[in-house]
Amino acid sequence: MANLSITKRALAQTLKEMMLEEPLAKISVGDICARCGMNRKSFYYHFKDKYDLVNWIFYTEFLQCYVGEASGEEGGWEAMLRLCEYFQKNKAFYRRALEAQGQNSFYEYFGEIITAIIAENLYPLFEDGEHHDFYIDMFTEAIRSVIVRWLREENSLPPEEFVQLLKNATMGIGYKTVSS
């Protein structure tokens, strides 16, 4: 079991280093393996593709540490703050990871994570509405898009300020929608 973890972490570290140099789209599984000193068979034993590796990095470095810790409205915003702090520390990597879109991409995986957070934390606002799924999708797309834009900015707001603006906008729109 320890060897599996060592291999996965070696592949992850190699990909993170490579993505500081070039976009994910220009990196092949063969490139990762060559730089890591492993064969492709070892890679595919652990991961479906390079996108699966990116998602695994996010899962092991962030989600595994914070899932379940935060619940309720304020807990969800605390989780969003931790997420943005994590993204800021790993800005170059996630900026490039989110550029790649499509099937199995981190962009799609991240959308699923955001959807789960929104569904759990905004459910009380829309639980009785017939358009619940529409609102969840709208907030997911909006929050993912604004986070991607925030990561692209060279002089982005500090995570605390950024998340407070997200909270103000999301809760304001949510309450306005419910009271209409």
Side-chain angles (χ1 to χ4, degrees):
M1 188 65 139
N3 286 343
L4 294 178
S5 182
I6 291 169
T7 301
K8 285 181 166 185
R9 294 201 184 284
L11 290 165
Q13 186 58 41
T14 298
L15 179 61
K16 287 175 80 172
E17 290 168 5
M18 292 177 79
M19 284 178 61
L20 295 176
E21 301 163 10
E22 57 189 321
L24 182 60
K26 292 187 176 189
I27 300 170
S28 70
V29 169
D31 296 334
I32 299 166
C33 292
R35 186 144 168 194
C36 194
M38 290 185 199
N39 63 45
R40 292 170 62 92
K41 198 173 186 176
S42 294
F43 182 93
Y44 287 116
Y45 179 78
H46 299 287
F47 302 104
K48 292 183 290 191
D49 54 28
K50 62 186 178 182
Y51 304 105
D52 190 31
L53 174 55
V54 172
N55 296 346
W56 182 84
I57 291 168
F58 181 71
Y59 179 80
T60 57
E61 288 185 359
F62 182 77
L63 284 182
Q64 212 171 32
C65 299
Y66 297 110
V67 168
E69 278 188 25
S71 61
E73 183 180 308
E74 286 306 311
W77 290 110
E78 182 62 30
M80 187 64 73
L81 176 59
R82 287 183 179 174
L83 171 69
C84 290
E85 289 170 343
Y86 170 76
F87 274 169
Q88 188 176 52
K89 288 178 191 168
N90 299 280
K91 192 173 190 172
F93 176 76
Y94 284 104
R95 186 185 284 174
R96 290 212 163 139
L98 286 161
E99 285 173 357
Q101 295 185 24
Q103 187 176 3
N104 300 330
S105 68
F106 179 69
Y107 185 85
E108 293 302 317
Y109 180 68
F110 182 57
E112 293 169 14
I113 302 302
I114 295 294
T115 297
I117 293 170
I118 289 170
E120 180 179 334
N121 292 288
L122 297 184
Y123 185 80
L125 294 176
F126 308 117
E127 64 184 296
D128 296 328
E130 65 179 282
H131 302 294
H132 175 266
D133 291 341
F134 171 82
Y135 293 127
I136 299 300
D137 290 345
M138 185 206 63
F139 280 111
T140 295
E141 291 301 319
I143 290 174
R144 179 173 52 186
S145 293
V146 77
I147 287 174
V148 169
R149 190 177 71 213
W150 174 71
L151 281 171
R152 287 181 183 153
E153 293 174 357
E154 288 302 319
N155 298 316
S156 56
L157 294 171
E160 300 80 13
E161 192 175 336
F162 175 71
V163 171
Q164 187 60 51
L165 288 173
L166 267 179
K167 181 179 178 181
N168 293 348
T170 303
M171 300 310 290
I173 291 169
Y175 288 125
K176 199 89 155 145
T177 303
V178 171
S179 63
S180 299

